[in-house]
Amino acid sequence: MRIGELASRVGVSVRALRYYEEQDLLVSARSPSGQRLYPDSAVDRVQLIQQLYSAGLPSRAILELLPCVETGDVTLPCSTGCRSSGTASIRRSAPW
């Protein structure tokens, strides 16, 4: 799906999606004409990013947490990354 469709489906701005890419939180493929193309799974990822931002986490902490959330890995080194970014207490109280 293109960036406008993803933005519409998730309820965020196109600018926000571009920012997430700049922060390495979201990855897109490119069409031959250079348009961003996202898989359907990007909807869930953007919703998760939005929830983590709403919880007060900075983009650096979200970047460290995403691989842990995606894999379900709560062992080292994922949990070490959470502690080093100061998010351990938030991680313990998070509903996921």
Side-chain angles (χ1 to χ4, degrees), residues 1-83:
M1 83 184 77
R2 292 187 207 169
I3 193 167
E5 182 182 350
L6 178 59
S8 176
R9 286 178 63 180
V10 181
V12 299
S13 68
V14 168
R15 187 175 191 284
L17 296 176
R18 289 185 185 127
Y19 175 77
Y20 297 162
E21 281 197 53
E22 289 173 11
Q23 299 300 307
D24 295 323
L25 300 173
L26 187 62
V27 177
S28 67
R30 296 290 180 141
S31 72
S33 62
Q35 293 180 327
R36 289 174 169 90
L37 300 174
Y38 299 93
D40 290 336
S41 61
V43 172
D44 292 333
R45 186 173 180 98
V46 172
Q47 289 172 336
L48 176 59
I49 292 167
Q50 287 284 278
Q51 291 171 348
L52 295 171
Y53 271 125
S54 293
L57 275 69
S59 58
R60 178 180 287 167
I62 294 171
L63 184 60
E64 291 178 8
L65 283 171
L66 282 175
C68 304
V69 172
E70 290 172 349
T71 63
D73 185 6
V74 293
T75 61
L76 298 173
C78 275
S79 60
T80 302
C82 296
R83 282 193 294 277

